[in-house]
Amino acid sequence: GNRFVQPVVGPQGLGLGRDAWGLFGELLARQHRVVTFDARGAGEARDAGEPFGTMDMARDVIALCRALGAERPVLLGFSLGGCVAQHLAALAPDLLSGLVLLSSVARPSARSAELLAVWRDMVESGADRAILLRNQLLWASEDKFFAQEGALQAAIDYVMALPTPSASGFIRQANACIAHDAHLACQAIRTPTAVLAGAQERVFSVSEAHELAQLIPGAGYQCLGFGGHNAWLEYPAEVARAVNTFIASLG
């Protein structure tokens, strides 16, 4: 119908499939045709079991957009999905009308890469999934989140109810994120871009998010006044509003 002003294609974060967008995805879908999908290594995506990089994942999304006939979509990538989106915008400049990079980075710092490697190694060593999620949430959530009684357990329960990523898929996605380096790709992006980071971004860092925006010609940078890496999960309405404002500015 006419209310869908813009298709929005959303690559998700590490180990997360198309079901993970939750309330944030529902809020965006009130104004846009939102296309969610399982990336290589997550959910039900077909996967040959080979190692892959963020560039390979970008080519997957290009093929998806063309197969769907998505007319000049806005690409909204969270975390690893944002890394994928950087390569996509550089590889297929005419495909997109806009780019939103949420809690993302052009190249993980040594510390961020080490954190991703710890999560990968936890999965590889067969650690309990709830313990892995607790560790991920410690890094991905803002301080205030932990002060809310039951919030941590509710978030763990929410993710535990989603399809479990295969260990192999998670490990290869983590390796793709660790190896991600889009410094040159970002400088080649000509798509109107918004870079959004939570005030307590700790999986990557606020300074790395700012650096990402500086690498992309003409990109807008917004450090949200709230939220951690998972700002879209903690403040779905506010982040959806920031995304909608950017999309409206594309004319």
Side-chain angles (χ1 to χ4, degrees), residues 24 27-28 31 235-247:
F24 174 68
L27 292 170
L28 285 181
Q31 291 194 35
Y235 297 92
E238 291 84 345
V239 179
R241 195 175 307 128
V243 172
N244 282 330
T245 300
F246 168 71
I247 294 174

Side-chain angles (χ1 to χ4, degrees), residues 112-236:
S112 304
E114 194 56 46
L115 180 60
L116 293 162
V118 166
W119 294 342
R120 175 198 66 198
D121 295 349
M122 285 179 80
V123 168
E124 203 154 24
S125 63
D128 184 284
R129 186 158 181 245
I131 296 174
L132 168 69
L133 290 171
R134 256 168 72 201
N135 189 278
Q136 288 183 303
L137 287 161
L138 275 169
W139 289 93
S141 311
E142 64 173 359
D143 294 347
K144 215 159 59 179
F145 170 82
F146 298 97
Q148 299 159 27
E149 199 170 333
L152 180 63
Q153 194 55 51
I156 290 169
D157 293 344
Y158 171 69
V159 182
M160 290 288 279
L162 298 170
T164 306
S166 74
S168 161
F170 184 94
I171 288 162
R172 284 172 297 130
Q173 276 201 352
N175 284 334
C177 199
I178 289 165
H180 175 70
D181 185 349
H183 269 65
L184 289 174
C186 284
Q187 291 167 37
I189 293 173
R190 296 295 176 265
T191 305
T193 302
V195 175
L196 305 178
Q200 291 184 39
E201 171 62 68
R202 285 185 284 230
V203 172
F204 303 124
S205 68
V206 170
S207 62
E208 284 170 277
H210 191 227
E211 180 201 9
L212 170 63
Q214 288 179 317
L215 281 169
I216 299 171
Y221 170 69
Q222 188 179 353
C223 181
L224 304 166
F226 48 79
H229 186 71
N230 282 350
W232 62 274
L233 193 61
E234 297 171 317
Y235 297 92

